[in-house]
Amino acid sequence: MTRFSAWNVIKNGFTGQSGWSRQWRDPEPKSHYDIVIVGGGLHGLATAYYLAKNFKLTNIAVLEKGWIGGGNAGRNTTIIRSNYMLKGNREFYEKSLKLWENLSHELNYNVMFSQRSHIGLYHTANALDAASRRYNIMRQTGSDAEIWSRSDLEKKIPHLNYAHDARFPIHGALVQKRAGTARHDAVAWGYARAADKLGVDIIQQCEVIGIKRNARKITQIETSRGSIQADKIAFAVAGNTSRLWQMAELGNLPIESHNLQAFVTEPIKPLLDQVVVFGVAGAHFYISQSDKGGMVFGGDIDWYKSYAQRGNLPIVQDVAECALSVMPCLGRVKLLRHWSGVVDMSMDGSFFICKTPLDNLYLNAGWNYGGFKASPASGWYFADLIANDRPDEIIKNHDLDRFRRGHHIDERGAGADPKLHG
Amino acid sequence: MIQIICPFCGKRDHSEFSYGGDGEITYPALDANEESWHDAVFLRENIYGRQIETWQHIHGCRSWLLVDRDTKTHEIFSVKLAHLDWHILLEKNR
């Protein structure tokens, strides 16, 4: 695999670009691995990479039923931020943001991480109070957070709807400047390439169709490309976690699968330099502009359980209404594409990285809306859990038993109804 | 757009309805142990395929309904009033 460097770019410029090798191998699955990771999304690939990099474990396979980057890795709005407040989440997402800051160098692959600021608009005095608490906790725990007045905002983002007679007039914004976006495909490819270079087998078109186990362990995984045995097995299949869990006859999980839609418009000239979030009363909307110029945005989940990867029209209408109320200038911009991914919505809106009732099975699931930004830290701590067979102190309460202990990690305080944790 | 045939109001877009969730959870007795309450409140079968779920026709007759729907395709197989004795009465008088 050819390393990307200024020298290689120049050299290949003189040799007809003939010196580049393929980015990762396409190996046949072996019959045994030390570790098998089910799910070749961002979390599975990142986990494989950190297992190889941090723990020198390289006899690893990542099994992907489709192609890498084809699931939720390619179905998100690419927003990265760490404005979480609760213990565990706070440290976890801050770690993730720090990993993002060095990720392109780490992987020798440009993930186009752009720290363009995350702007959370506020519209009421109550929202300012609640968010001041959150943003002060962020500042006290080593992150960056600012509160901008309406006049600051008007100077920096001139195209928002500042009308005083708007249904929800903008009063100001809560800002995290280190937050931003990244190129989602590049993250999948970068992790895959870097993991492959360290010896990880990335096996695409390989669906798990059966799981054999005894009372304590998984003994064999049946796949569409043959049987595989492994000392340790890790699930990272958010959206379909319950299906795999039930295939292993492990019962029910505190998770529901829901559809989350996202949208992109035709490319337009540079309009919006930041990520802007509009959330007040029933409205929920987030928007940024991609490097190609498309306006990328999304809103709420579809409100009912679904594995369909197909979104519904009332949400399209809701999102369009939000778009026009916060950025009326988008009224004539044409929608280019819109898609839907299946997300694991958990009972408290927080994730699971934990051990399971089986000795050799580890779980990574329940990412709700927040999977993309979490990818690096998710891989980091999941690799640590698998390698050391114990969770790090930071994620020790992100286990399946936390509801039994009454230890909900509920950032919104919405209660045990998965569809409300948007 | 999913369309639900409400027993009172006829075929309507699902945007008139509010989603309730799983329709087959049976809650334990009030004095049951914590474990059975934990399972009923926090755990979900999260069915891949046909499931019974509740919807309320909030912008119509406000009835709670039991809907048999496929989570893979969104196809609806049957709609009943959630109060099953009312449903039987309704069918009898139809």
Side-chain angles (χ1 to χ4, degrees):
Chain A
M1 195 250 321
T2 322
R3 202 178 148 72
F4 291 119
S5 64
W7 164 247
N8 273 330
V9 169
I10 293 164
K11 192 176 92 180
N12 279 287
F14 283 109
T15 55
Q17 306 294 346
S18 57
W20 303 109
S21 54
R22 65 178 295 151
Q23 299 291 297
W24 56 84
R25 296 165 295 126
D26 183 21
E28 282 300 312
K30 294 190 279 184
S31 60
H32 181 271
Y33 288 93
D34 292 345
I35 301 168
V36 163
I37 298 166
V38 183
L42 298 177
H43 294 238
L45 293 167
T47 304
Y49 171 73
Y50 291 116
L51 278 167
K53 173 80 190 311
N54 295 354
F55 301 99
K56 311 284 177 252
L57 298 166
T58 55
N59 187 20
I60 298 173
V62 178
L63 310 183
E64 167 54 47
K65 74 174 173 184
W67 65 95
I68 61 166
N72 288 346
R75 292 166 187 268
N76 55 77
T77 45
T78 79
I79 297 168
I80 295 159
R81 57 184 168 85
S82 77
N83 57 348
Y84 287 72
M85 178 174 71
L86 299 179
K87 192 168 171 52
N89 279 355
R90 181 78 273 283
E91 298 89 335
F92 177 89
Y93 286 101
E94 193 58 33
K95 171 73 179 176
S96 206
L97 185 52
K98 291 206 172 87
L99 289 169
W100 277 110
E101 285 174 328
N102 194 42
L103 198 59
S104 293
H105 292 287
E106 170 85 23
L107 300 178
N108 181 233
Y109 204 92
N110 186 2
V111 300
M112 297 165 79
F113 180 46
S114 159
Q115 293 180 290
R116 57 179 68 183
S117 302
H118 178 272
I119 314 283
L121 304 176
Y122 68 84
H123 309 264
T124 65
N126 311 18
L128 175 61
D129 287 348
S132 300
R133 176 173 174 238
R134 172 179 300 262
Y135 277 58
N136 278 327
I137 289 173
M138 287 163 64
R139 290 172 72 120
Q140 285 166 6
T141 49
S143 193
D144 69 306
E146 293 176 13
I147 293 177
W148 287 4
S149 68
R150 183 186 162 99
S151 56
D152 289 341
L153 207 54
E154 277 175 308
K155 277 185 222 113
K156 295 204 169 96
I157 317 177
H159 307 298
L160 302 182
N161 180 8
Y162 294 105
H164 287 279
D165 61 350
R167 173 68 185 83
F168 297 106
I170 295 169
H171 288 188
L174 306 138
V175 178
Q176 186 176 31
K177 281 189 169 169
R178 287 161 62 236
T181 61
R183 168 98 199 274
H184 50 76
D185 293 325
V187 185
W189 300 334
Y191 270 122
R193 175 175 172 272
D196 176 87
K197 191 186 173 200
L198 295 171
V200 173
D201 281 2
I202 293 161
I203 301 162
Q204 302 181 75
Q205 307 287 324
C206 182
E207 182 173 2
V208 172
I209 50 177
I211 291 168
K212 288 190 183 149
R213 73 167 175 101
N214 57 33
R216 302 206 26 218
K217 284 183 157 195
I218 288 180
T219 52
Q220 188 157 304
I221 300 176
E222 306 296 340
T223 78
S224 54
R225 295 179 67 176
S227 303
I228 299 175
Q229 293 183 330
D231 300 343
K232 293 180 176 181
I233 291 123
F235 288 172
V237 291
N240 286 298
T241 309
S242 297
R243 292 176 65 196
L244 217 50
W245 198 252
Q246 280 152 10
M247 205 184 276
E249 295 176 347
L250 287 165
N252 297 345
L253 282 170
I255 289 173
E256 290 183 359
S257 295
H258 286 258
N259 271 330
L260 177 58
Q261 304 188 54
F263 308 82
V264 64
T265 69
E266 60 187 335
I268 54 177
K269 290 195 170 178
L271 173 74
L272 184 64
D273 293 334
Q274 300 86 354
V275 177
V276 171
V277 180
F278 169 57
V280 60
H284 187 195
F285 179 71
Y286 34 95
I287 185 164
S288 64
Q289 187 168 20
S290 79
D291 292 322
K292 274 194 289 190
M295 304 304 293
V296 182
F297 54 91
D300 277 318
I301 53 173
D302 284 6
W303 299 119
Y304 50 78
K305 284 162 68 173
S306 174
Y307 288 92
Q309 287 189 312
R310 190 176 66 232
N312 73 32
L313 292 170
I315 293 291
V316 179
Q317 190 172 0
D318 286 354
V319 169
E321 282 172 4
C322 287
L324 291 198
S325 56
V326 73
M327 289 187 80
C329 60
L330 293 178
R332 297 282 175 136
V333 179
K334 292 192 188 82
L335 197 62
L336 189 66
R337 284 181 291 129
H338 112 264
W339 60 92
S340 170
V342 180
V343 289
D344 276 1
M345 298 302 290
S346 71
M347 285 293 161
D348 58 359
S350 289
F351 61 87
F352 304 99
I353 295 181
C354 58
K355 298 178 71 167
T356 69
L358 300 181
D359 292 346
N360 67 343
L361 175 66
Y362 302 87
L363 180 68
N364 177 318
W367 290 98
N368 296 271
Y369 276 59
F372 180 73
K373 71 176 90 70
S375 307
S378 169
W380 181 277
Y381 288 113
F382 197 34
D384 175 69
L385 170 74
I386 296 164
N388 295 319
D389 197 38
R390 56 101 194 93
D392 186 277
E393 191 67 15
I394 283 174
I395 54 153
K396 70 170 185 204
N397 283 315
H398 283 87
D399 61 346
L400 289 169
D401 273 339
R402 64 177 179 257
F403 304 104
R404 265 192 195 89
R405 301 193 302 275
H407 194 114
H408 300 210
I409 308 173
D410 189 344
E411 294 273 341
R412 278 174 70 99
D417 189 347
K419 67 179 181 292
L420 301 181
H421 294 288
Chain B
M1 180 79 78
I2 298 175
Q3 291 185 313
I4 297 172
I5 300 173
C6 171
F8 289 120
C9 314
K11 193 188 240 188
R12 299 297 178 91
D13 288 349
H14 85 265
S15 51
E16 289 188 12
F17 298 79
S18 172
Y19 184 63
D22 290 18
E24 289 185 310
I25 298 175
T26 37
Y27 287 100
L30 283 176
D31 56 356
N33 61 24
E34 277 188 20
E35 192 61 24
S36 31
W37 273 103
H38 167 272
D39 292 356
V41 174
F42 294 110
L43 299 188
R44 293 289 183 271
E45 195 176 346
N46 203 12
I47 292 168
Y48 180 76
R50 279 172 74 163
Q51 68 168 7
I52 305 291
E53 57 194 20
T54 58
W55 292 75
Q56 190 189 12
H57 197 183
I58 48 166
H59 296 303
C61 60
R62 299 191 67 78
S63 301
W64 277 97
L65 307 174
L66 284 177
V67 178
D68 177 2
R69 186 181 64 99
D70 193 319
T71 59
K72 288 181 292 185
T73 62
H74 300 168
E75 187 181 353
I76 289 176
F77 299 93
S78 76
V79 182
K80 287 179 185 162
L81 280 173
H83 298 280
L84 283 175
D85 39 352
W86 293 9
H87 183 79
I88 293 162
L89 205 62
L90 190 72
E91 289 296 303
K92 209 186 278 176
N93 293 319
R94 202 173 274 282

